Amino acid sequence: MSSSTPLTRAADSFKRATAAVSGKIRNARSPRNEPGNRPGRNGKPGKPSSLHPAAVWAEAAGTAGEFLSPAWRNVRAVWLKFVWPVLAVVSLLGWVVLAAAIGLWWAGQAWGWQEAKSAAMVAFLLFVLAIAFIVGRSAYGVVLDLARTRVAVGDDAVGSIAVSNVSTRPLLPAALELPVGSNTAVFHLPRMKPAQVHEDLFTIPTARRAVIVVGPVRSVRADPLHLLRRRVMWTEPVDLFVHPRTVSLGSSAAGFIRDLEGMPTTELSSADVSFHALRDYVPGDDRRHIHWKTTARTNKLMVRQFEETRRAHLAIALSINTDEYDSEPEFEMAISVAASIGRQAISEQRDLDVLTQKGPLRCETGRNLLDDATRIVGAPMRKNAVDLARNLSDAVPNASVVFFVVGSHVTATQLRTCAASVPPGVRSLAVRVQPGAAPTRANIADLTVLTVGDLDDLAIVLRKAAA
């Protein structure tokens, strides 16, 4: 077992680094490095060498950092555990009053101002009295309960805070703070007897898609002047997912991805569900596929041949380049469109892939899809819808139906380029989001372009695409 300590290891590292620097200095001062003696190119004398100061300083800085790093970690741990909690109790007003008190005391000492000394003593006395308001232990049992941690935009998220006095003595009135995103809600606790329970209900408005961090619940004790504020955490934070609004499309609206057991292809197979034709028997064919009536009529063994089918694999390319959208509501509608189509595919147990410029979304379940859609952050970027379409063709080569969900700033030329990146035989559709526009359908070569002016119109335009 090694008996070395961090201090001894740092000392050894310091010795090794010092020896390395000393070796460089000796090499620089050796006779073969003197002017006229250092060999240059082709064996000729070269220029005199000297140890570069930057190398010395870099070596010294590295050695000092390695030597001081254990001590720095210990100091930082002590600071965060003992010093910072004490300093965090003093509010901004408290620091101002404390600085003013020190300044007044120094002025009174320097110029003999008794009034300044008196004011400094009053300030220090206020601090001493403020300490009496925040000392002591509070014994609360706090339970933060959100009825649902996942809601849609527009739905109210309801929660409750249950506080109980778990001590054997009454507790004075206090305040509880509940951070909700960037805001903070304050709940006032009355004087509580032992084992008494106080419950407060709250509602969180969900006007926009977001992941809202609720909590932790913390109790606050402060003096009347708010010079000192002591906070104690009682619960862990909870993530509230505000999912994008989605609409149910229904089976008739998604007819373009619905088939018997998949989508027929031009490839032939010896066993499938779509009958194609009869052919002569070849040794090795499955005898179960022999068509005995035709065999008896032609006096030759004939077997059934089928068209190979495949299950519909839906791929959605959602552009999150905000330069392609006219406004934020248009961008949010595009996310809702992609999420609605994705949920429909998942409910029909179709294979699904959703891709953005920043990477794929999880599509194992509808919950995972909506969670990742909630975390989407749009931004201006160099990659546009065309680049996304090219990435989609590489990332999902086995797709049978491809959706491009884009904004109103995407031109017809760009949509034509997107369609050109789709492999032959794959049905491609583009959903162009434009709030207020009438639901329409148009064709650009093999690409079906659907214009959606309202999320509720999505089922209508999909029925037009299926027609």
Side-chain angles (χ1 to χ4, degrees), residues 199-455:
E199 186 174 3
D200 279 314
L201 299 178
F202 60 89
T203 301
I204 302 175
T206 56
R208 55 179 301 172
R209 175 183 57 91
V211 179
I212 303 175
V213 180
V214 181
V217 179
R218 58 200 183 201
S219 60
V220 181
R221 302 178 66 176
D223 62 282
L225 297 180
H226 291 277
L227 300 179
L228 304 178
R229 288 171 55 89
R230 182 187 173 194
R231 296 176 178 177
V232 180
M233 307 298 178
W234 296 101
T235 64
E236 296 294 329
V238 180
D239 289 336
L240 173 63
F241 287 84
V242 182
H243 288 162
R245 191 170 75 91
T246 57
V247 293
S248 176
L249 303 181
S251 59
S252 61
F256 54 88
I257 61 172
R258 195 177 64 252
D259 48 61
L260 180 61
E261 281 295 338
M263 298 182 63
T265 67
T266 58
E267 300 178 6
L268 299 181
S269 173
S270 60
D272 218 304
V273 296
S274 181
F275 175 75
H276 174 65
L278 295 173
R279 63 171 175 82
D280 293 338
Y281 175 82
V282 176
D285 287 341
D286 193 341
R287 296 182 180 180
R288 292 176 300 175
H289 299 309
I290 296 177
H291 196 267
W292 293 108
K293 291 183 179 181
T294 305
T295 299
R297 187 172 62 251
T298 60
N299 202 23
K300 292 193 307 181
L301 284 175
M302 303 294 292
V303 295
R304 298 181 184 89
Q305 194 172 35
F306 303 88
E307 287 183 342
E308 184 178 353
T309 60
R310 63 185 179 191
R311 290 192 60 82
H313 190 143
L314 188 66
I316 302 175
L318 171 62
S319 178
I320 58 174
N321 185 355
T322 54
D323 290 337
E324 298 177 346
Y325 296 89
D326 187 61
S327 60
E328 183 178 354
E330 183 174 299
F331 177 69
E332 294 296 328
M333 186 188 299
I335 296 177
S336 297
V337 167
S340 299
I341 299 174
R343 285 191 66 185
Q344 180 67 33
I346 293 175
S347 65
E348 294 187 358
Q349 298 182 351
R350 303 295 179 181
D351 295 331
L352 175 67
D353 282 281
V354 181
L355 192 67
T356 68
Q357 282 92 339
K358 293 185 178 179
L361 305 185
R362 295 178 300 166
C363 303
E364 296 84 5
T365 62
R367 175 174 173 175
N368 290 342
L369 174 62
L370 292 178
D371 284 353
D372 282 6
T374 303
R375 294 189 178 96
I376 291 177
V377 178
M381 56 186 65
R382 299 179 63 181
K383 292 184 177 180
N384 55 18
V386 176
D387 300 321
L388 179 60
R390 292 168 181 166
N391 293 337
L392 181 68
S393 61
D394 296 334
V396 193
N398 57 341
S400 57
V401 180
V402 173
F403 273 94
F404 302 109
V405 182
V406 297
S408 59
H409 289 179
V410 177
T411 63
T413 303
Q414 290 176 316
L415 290 177
R416 188 180 297 108
T417 307
C418 291
S421 64
V422 178
V426 177
R427 186 170 187 184
S428 56
L429 303 96
V431 180
R432 192 167 175 267
V433 178
Q434 187 175 3
T440 58
R441 170 189 172 178
N443 291 324
I444 301 178
D446 295 334
L447 177 67
T448 302
V449 181
L450 308 174
T451 301
V452 178
D454 189 88
L455 186 61

